Amino acid sequence: MKIRVGHLYPEYLNIYADRGNIAVFSRRAALRGHELAVAAISLGDDVRPGEHDLFYIGGGQDREQALIAPDLVTKGPAIEAAVADGAALLAVCGGYQLLGRGYLGRHGDAMPGIGLFPHETVAGEKRMIGDVLLESELVPGERRTIAGFENHAGRTRLDPGAEPLGRVVAGFGNDGESGHEGVRVGRALGPYLHGPLLPRNPWLADWLLSQALAHATGGDPPELEPLPDRLEGEAHAVSAQRARDRGGRF
Ligand code: GLN
């Protein structure tokens, strides 16, 4: 199958090698005989209905976020419609913030968001930096861990009843207080974690690929053939241990 990926603003939002996440999707798809076709969607480009099985948007500094935020708002309804129609989505850090209702940046710039995610973000004085470990249950009854790295000034507050991506075991997460990290809306996931995220959490890459394949085929998410993931497992263990050692509070 061809998995069509729409990579939003790759030249603006690519902090901490978020592009590595795309490399992971591509390789893991190829190892299962699927082809990843990645198209950049940037300033002034349209998001056309049905054209993408998976969207990706990375992190960035406030300056880059402010540059793309007004353009992203014009794409908001099309992105929401695509997700409602079953497209998968991964939004990391700065992208995650702008997919909520808005982000009030460190220097007072009020950036509009698209409102796909039920949250709002306001930058605080201190940045939240370091390794993070989460527990997540994307598939009911299957509790998994996610390890990554966070570096953000934004404090994200989820609306009451919103589903976080995971529970913080170590690290700050959305706001350093709630014990929540990220958000999930159907097949759309928004974590703060980059580093990049997917090389050390291959199961999460596979979950997203499987949801994207379900969109591409119009069927159920397929089981993907397991891969050895020895190095990936080691990377996960090292990152998880660093997060545990750090504990992760101010
Ligand atoms: N600029 C945003 C913040 O500091 C997002 C940072 C990021 O994407 N790493 O909160």
Side-chain angles (χ1 to χ4, degrees), residues 15-16 18 58-63 65 92-95 97 103 106 121 123 127 150-155 192 194:
I15 206 166
Y16 298 110
D18 283 328
Q61 301 192 6
D62 285 18
R63 206 177 76 85
Q65 288 175 279
V92 171
C93 202
Q97 294 171 338
Y103 171 43
R106 186 71 195 87
T121 304
R127 297 191 72 79
E150 63 184 329
N151 182 353
H152 53 108
R155 275 80 169 140
Y192 260 114
H194 39 70

Side-chain angles (χ1 to χ4, degrees), residues 36-114:
L36 206 75
V38 184
I41 308 173
S42 200
L43 296 176
D45 297 338
D46 286 331
V47 174
R48 280 182 287 272
E51 219 165 72
H52 304 289
D53 305 307
L54 174 62
F55 288 89
Y56 180 77
I57 179 165
Q61 301 192 6
D62 285 18
R63 206 177 76 85
E64 278 74 34
Q65 288 175 279
L67 282 173
I68 63 99
D71 183 87
L72 178 62
V73 167
T74 67
K75 298 175 171 44
I79 297 171
E80 276 204 67
V83 169
D85 188 44
L89 178 146
L90 177 64
V92 171
C93 202
Y96 162 55
Q97 294 171 338
L98 294 179
L99 263 50
R101 285 191 297 275
Y103 171 43
L104 183 62
R106 186 71 195 87
H107 303 290
D109 338 329
M111 302 172 216
I114 71 171

Side-chain angles (χ1 to χ4, degrees), residues 148-206:
F149 187 85
E150 63 184 329
N151 182 353
H152 53 108
R155 275 80 169 140
T156 297
R157 303 266 177 206
L158 298 186
D159 291 351
E163 185 185 351
L165 172 62
R167 185 182 72 77
V168 176
V169 177
F172 297 108
N174 279 341
D175 56 6
E177 287 170 8
S178 61
H180 290 158
E181 157 55 26
V183 75
R184 174 187 184 182
V185 173
R187 290 179 175 158
L189 307 182
Y192 260 114
L193 310 191
H194 39 70
L197 169 72
L198 298 178
R200 52 185 108 168
N201 299 288
W203 72 269
L204 190 60
D206 284 355

